[in-house]
Amino acid sequence: LQVGRGSTISKKISLIRNTSRINLSITDRTVQGSSTQQEPCPFDIYITADNSIKDAANLVPDGSPVVTFLPMDLQTDGNSYQIRFRAKQLIIGRTADIIIDDVATGKNIFNENIIDIILGHPEYNTQRDLDREDIYELEFEIERDPDGYVVKIIISVNGWDVEYIEPTSSRFP
């Protein structure tokens, strides 16, 4: 870095991405087959994160407000839903929660930190690993019993099965 006439300052500059694209694909395994009629998405999906503000050192200060990221785009095909988000940089030690609510009942189906889910993938261990990736493809398979209770959730990150959840009625009503 050159400052003024002839003087130079050596400074390490972190070359990181400051946004992430998160593409969610949700398949409701409870619904069988494809409908010829377009039905609205039965889920309310959004991301909340506490990484919205950075200081001069490119760090998120304590007490940073929580911001809600809404879908940029939602496509429906029978029992499958493709949702695209653009969110701030995913930072280890911060939260970026994917929240999925059932529109009909208002009940929460899923609320977990996306960063923890991604770190379950063997290729993502450090902040540098997260910063290297610009697009995250997350696939959710949700299955409910006849009473609407979630019985199984399978999550894949960039094609690798990360987490298999069998919720209990106390955690997921």
Side-chain angles (χ1 to χ4, degrees):
L1 179 64
Q2 189 170 20
V3 180
R5 294 184 176 193
S7 62
T8 60
I9 298 173
S10 180
K11 181 169 175 121
K12 184 177 179 180
I13 299 174
S14 177
L15 299 175
I16 59 172
R17 300 181 195 276
N18 61 5
T19 60
S20 297
R21 285 184 284 173
I22 301 165
N23 298 329
L24 290 177
S25 173
I26 299 177
T27 302
D28 188 350
R29 294 287 177 208
T30 310
V31 179
Q32 299 299 318
S34 244
S35 170
T36 55
Q37 184 177 340
Q38 287 291 14
E39 298 290 330
C41 182
F43 306 111
D44 187 17
I45 305 142
Y46 52 98
I47 296 172
T48 60
D50 67 352
N51 62 348
S52 60
I53 298 174
K54 290 190 178 180
D55 61 19
N58 204 26
L59 300 172
V60 179
D62 289 337
S64 183
V66 173
V67 174
T68 300
F69 296 96
L70 301 175
M72 291 177 11
D73 184 40
L74 185 140
Q75 301 290 321
T76 302
D77 181 17
N79 63 336
S80 293
Y81 311 94
Q82 278 67 49
I83 305 102
R84 291 184 320 131
F85 290 93
R86 182 172 295 279
K88 295 288 252 170
Q89 176 192 18
L90 300 178
I91 302 171
I92 293 175
R94 307 303 299 188
T95 61
D97 296 332
I98 292 181
I99 300 168
I100 304 174
D101 295 330
D102 186 315
V103 172
T105 65
K107 293 180 182 175
N108 178 258
I109 293 174
F110 187 80
N111 183 349
E112 295 290 333
N113 187 349
I114 186 176
I115 299 164
D116 293 339
I117 295 168
I118 292 169
L119 290 174
H121 191 295
E123 291 183 16
Y124 304 107
N125 300 300
T126 66
Q127 186 62 49
R128 181 175 285 191
D129 295 335
L130 290 179
D131 292 342
R132 216 180 341 240
E133 195 72 47
D134 186 35
I135 301 173
Y136 291 97
E137 302 283 344
L138 281 79
E139 299 175 30
F140 285 71
E141 292 183 27
I142 298 174
E143 188 174 324
R144 297 180 274 182
D145 68 14
D147 296 323
Y149 291 97
V150 174
V151 293
K152 163 166 70 169
I153 298 175
I154 299 171
I155 304 169
S156 296
V157 175
N158 293 351
W160 186 77
D161 285 346
V162 171
E163 198 164 335
Y164 173 80
I165 301 172
E166 290 185 67
T168 62
S169 59
S170 63
R171 182 167 177 216
F172 292 90

